[in-house]
Amino acid sequence: MISLASVSNTVSEVESDGLGEIDNLDRQLHQRFQNKFLVHPSLTRLIVSFQANKTRPIYRWYKYKEAFSASLIEYLLQQYKITQGKVLDPFAGSGTMLFAAREAGIDADGIELLPIGQQIINAKKLLDSEFNLENFDRIKDWSKLHVWKQCEQKKDLPELRITKGAYSEITINAIEQYLAACKGENNKVQAVLNFVLLCVLESISYTRKDGQYLRWDYRSGRGQSKKLFNKGEILEFDNAIANKISEIIDDLLPSTQQIELFPIKNSQGQIHLYEGSCLEIMPRLANSVYDAIITSPPYCNRYDYTRTYALELALLGISEKELINLRQEMLSCTVENRPKDLLTINSDWKTALNIADSQNLLQAILKYLDNQKAKGALNNNGIPRMIRGYFYEMACVIQECFRVLKPGALLFMVNDNVRYAGASISVDMILSDFAEQLGFVIENILVLPSDKGNSSQQMGNHGRDPLRKCVYVWKKP
């Protein structure tokens, strides 16, 4: 029989552990924001992720899994009556927001750190506005005639340690022939052909992008766990390239009948891409210039894009040292991120950092995670440092967003809540609290109707409590 005293001791142990304090502070914050939460039936996981882009012309060319859909951008622009001016995405990724805004006749600026995102955006811009019919005819030849197979030379395929063994020998030979053959084309055709190769890399490899890492098919003979992973069909190189070129041509060159039906093209906005970290670039932007910000920062979920996009980064010639530097420059969302000296980047961020210092729920979470680390209870000791870095850096980003928006302008942010060591972290409410203290009015926190469950790792220990996925809507008064 269990005594009341032992039950009482168990409860007090949990509370002293910090989870009780986190729950209480979370409830208080939820009470403050409860009239801002709005479950929004239109915001499905399909529309708030890459899924809705899979069959959509142009957006489907490269499978950028972390992107939101063009449909989401169109919905927000229409719903909130944003019809002109200039918008910003500080975490541009593959440029979904930029191109969707452009199609709506709105100018769009983007900031992107990863070379793969930069390459996708620049290739789409090139195809959209600078590629002429002669260039299209040339890439048609590549698709029909398999031009690379006629090339007797080869250009070495760049590799990183984490990409070795990603392709069969036959595929490596084909890639190296293709790279050599590309050099015989003009700069624009060459750029598009290199982009085509980036688009098919995963499908012709033994790997699959899987959140925090690349997952290896059993046929690679590499990194085998107890349970063999089979990614399914691995595409043959020649067909993968030819089909991707055909897809691009079909999306961009309408038939004669379509040209006759739709002779007038709507006026389109301009796209400008800043290459680098938004923490470095945003402080250089002018005050009050944007009519909206629509973005989705990296989630605080340990996903390391320098690993998941390693095949593409290797092909782009990123060295081992440059890969490490990229990982550190990213917003802190991996356990390897070291603390950034934020005040050295911008001394004006004292305001944001003081707000983070005084956010009770965040500080309770950090204290709890530090205690868990001291007890050896975390599966990675870098978690507390990552969480701290993520929120402090996001506070600085939010301060910059407020500064660069025009009065009356809106900020939309897609983000996920997370859980570590049993502590649910309400990213939505903590960041909204930061935003409010920095001057924003919290219009709404739009909640997806179906909540996301725990990771499988967390589920075993802490059950399947759902985690909110939201779109935040903040307004600059």
Side-chain angles (χ1 to χ4, degrees):
M1 186 174 173
I2 301 172
S3 70
L4 287 174
S6 64
V7 171
S8 175
N9 286 340
T10 306
V11 171
S12 63
E13 278 171 24
V14 169
E15 288 179 347
S16 66
D17 223 13
L19 283 178
E21 184 187 2
I22 290 169
D23 286 344
N24 286 334
L25 290 168
D26 192 90
R27 275 194 295 272
Q28 288 171 28
L29 204 52
H30 193 276
Q31 203 167 8
R32 197 173 110 209
F33 286 122
Q34 64 183 350
N35 64 334
K36 304 297 183 183
F37 283 104
L38 179 64
V39 176
H40 208 294
S42 299
L43 298 177
T44 61
R45 283 206 162 265
L46 187 73
I47 192 176
V48 185
S49 71
F50 176 78
Q51 298 301 313
N53 281 347
K54 277 186 173 180
T55 56
R56 183 156 177 160
I58 299 174
Y59 298 96
R60 64 182 175 170
W61 296 342
Y62 184 93
K63 185 181 175 184
Y64 198 85
K65 287 175 70 177
E66 288 73 29
F68 41 42
S69 74
S71 302
L72 173 67
I73 307 307
E74 290 161 355
Y75 174 80
L76 293 173
L77 293 176
Q78 184 180 11
Q79 190 77 0
Y80 291 89
K81 298 179 173 53
I82 301 162
T83 57
Q84 59 186 6
K86 186 187 283 190
V87 294
L88 171 70
D89 186 347
F91 303 95
S94 61
T96 298
M97 192 286 283
L98 307 182
F99 290 95
R102 180 185 185 283
E103 286 173 30
I106 300 167
D107 292 340
D109 288 355
I111 304 171
E112 179 51 34
L113 171 66
L114 285 185
I116 176 59
Q118 298 165 5
Q119 195 79 3
I120 295 166
I121 293 166
N122 288 328
K124 283 182 180 176
K125 281 178 66 181
L126 173 64
L127 280 160
D128 188 57
S129 57
E130 298 177 48
F131 226 55
N132 59 31
L133 286 174
E134 187 181 332
N135 292 331
F136 275 114
D137 285 340
R138 185 56 188 154
I139 65 168
K140 281 182 190 175
D141 289 341
W142 274 66
S143 178
K144 289 175 186 172
L145 306 175
H146 293 189
V147 170
W148 59 93
K149 295 180 84 169
Q150 302 154 27
C151 183
E152 295 179 3
Q153 295 176 312
K154 289 183 182 179
K155 182 175 182 286
D156 288 344
L157 171 65
E159 287 185 311
L160 294 160
R161 279 195 298 271
I162 55 177
T163 67
K164 287 189 185 299
Y167 314 98
S168 68
E169 282 302 317
I170 292 171
T171 300
I172 289 174
N173 286 333
I175 293 173
E176 292 184 339
Q177 265 186 300
Y178 183 93
L179 290 171
C182 284
K183 294 176 79 175
E185 302 295 338
N186 71 48
N187 288 342
K188 289 177 183 175
V189 170
Q190 210 175 125
V192 168
L193 291 173
N194 284 325
F195 169 64
V196 169
L197 179 54
L198 285 170
C199 290
V200 304
L201 278 185
E202 183 179 3
S203 66
I204 62 174
S205 79
Y206 291 125
T207 72
R208 190 178 76 189
K209 293 177 176 64
D210 198 0
Q212 298 174 31
Y213 54 87
L214 280 180
R215 203 167 182 192
W216 290 79
D217 186 278
Y218 75 95
R219 286 164 283 187
S220 68
R222 169 175 170 163
Q224 293 308 316
S225 59
K226 292 176 184 176
K227 189 175 180 182
L228 295 179
F229 168 61
N230 183 341
K231 72 175 277 190
E233 183 186 10
I234 295 171
L235 298 186
E236 188 269 331
F237 179 85
D238 294 347
N239 290 338
I241 290 288
N243 291 340
K244 184 57 66 176
I245 292 173
S246 296
E247 184 179 80
I248 290 170
I249 289 166
D250 289 346
D251 286 354
L252 291 178
L253 294 183
S255 67
T256 308
Q257 186 181 9
Q258 285 175 304
I259 290 169
E260 289 167 359
L261 283 171
F262 307 105
I264 300 167
K265 196 172 184 181
N266 292 332
S267 61
Q268 296 193 316
Q270 298 296 310
I271 288 174
H272 179 76
L273 178 66
Y274 295 94
E275 298 184 352
S277 161
C278 70
L279 288 168
E280 298 283 350
I281 289 167
M282 286 193 80
R284 297 184 232 143
L285 301 178
N287 293 341
S288 307
V289 289
Y290 292 104
D291 297 273
I293 291 173
I294 308 176
T295 194
S296 180
Y299 300 165
C300 191
N301 58 8
R302 294 177 60 173
Y303 282 19
D304 183 351
Y305 304 146
T306 65
R307 285 191 169 86
T308 49
Y309 291 93
L311 297 184
E312 293 85 351
L313 294 172
L315 185 68
L316 292 170
I318 301 300
S319 68
E320 300 285 355
K321 186 177 179 183
E322 287 169 330
L323 194 74
I324 291 166
N325 290 341
L326 275 175
R327 195 173 292 145
Q328 295 309 322
E329 283 183 75
M330 279 169 46
L331 190 78
S332 289
C333 59
T334 81
V335 289
E336 293 178 30
N337 283 110
R338 294 189 299 271
K340 296 178 177 67
D341 191 343
L342 295 166
L343 288 178
T344 299
I345 299 172
N346 185 0
S347 59
D348 290 343
W349 288 342
K350 279 180 187 173
T351 306
L353 300 180
N354 287 338
I355 288 169
D357 276 339
S358 60
Q359 214 294 324
N360 292 335
L361 176 56
L362 173 61
Q363 295 307 321
I365 289 165
L366 294 175
K367 181 181 174 185
Y368 167 74
L369 291 173
D370 283 336
N371 287 340
Q372 293 297 298
K373 176 184 171 182
K375 291 177 181 177
L378 295 179
N379 59 24
N380 190 297
N381 284 335
I383 290 170
R385 183 178 66 240
M386 175 191 73
I387 304 287
R388 183 176 279 103
Y390 183 85
F391 281 103
Y392 278 75
E393 289 162 35
M394 280 301 298
C396 299
V397 171
I398 293 167
Q399 182 176 330
E400 289 305 306
C401 287
F402 185 84
R403 185 182 61 78
V404 302
L405 281 171
K406 293 178 180 176
L410 292 166
L411 182 150
F412 305 91
M413 183 184 294
V414 181
N415 211 329
D416 257 5
N417 289 351
V418 293
R419 178 179 285 107
Y420 289 99
S424 291
I425 302 177
S426 295
V427 179
D428 48 13
M429 294 197 297
I430 295 172
L431 294 186
S432 292
D433 185 35
F434 288 174
E436 202 168 61
Q437 293 191 62
L438 285 162
F440 281 105
V441 173
I442 311 306
E443 293 281 294
N444 280 117
I445 301 173
L446 305 176
V447 184
L448 270 66
S450 54
D451 285 336
K452 174 186 168 187
N454 263 336
S455 69
S456 55
Q457 190 177 36
Q458 292 275 330
M459 245 181 261
N461 294 325
H462 309 293
R464 195 188 171 90
D465 288 339
L467 294 168
R468 285 188 305 271
K469 185 179 181 77
C470 303
V471 180
Y472 321 151
V473 184
W474 304 333
K475 185 174 185 177
K476 179 175 178 175

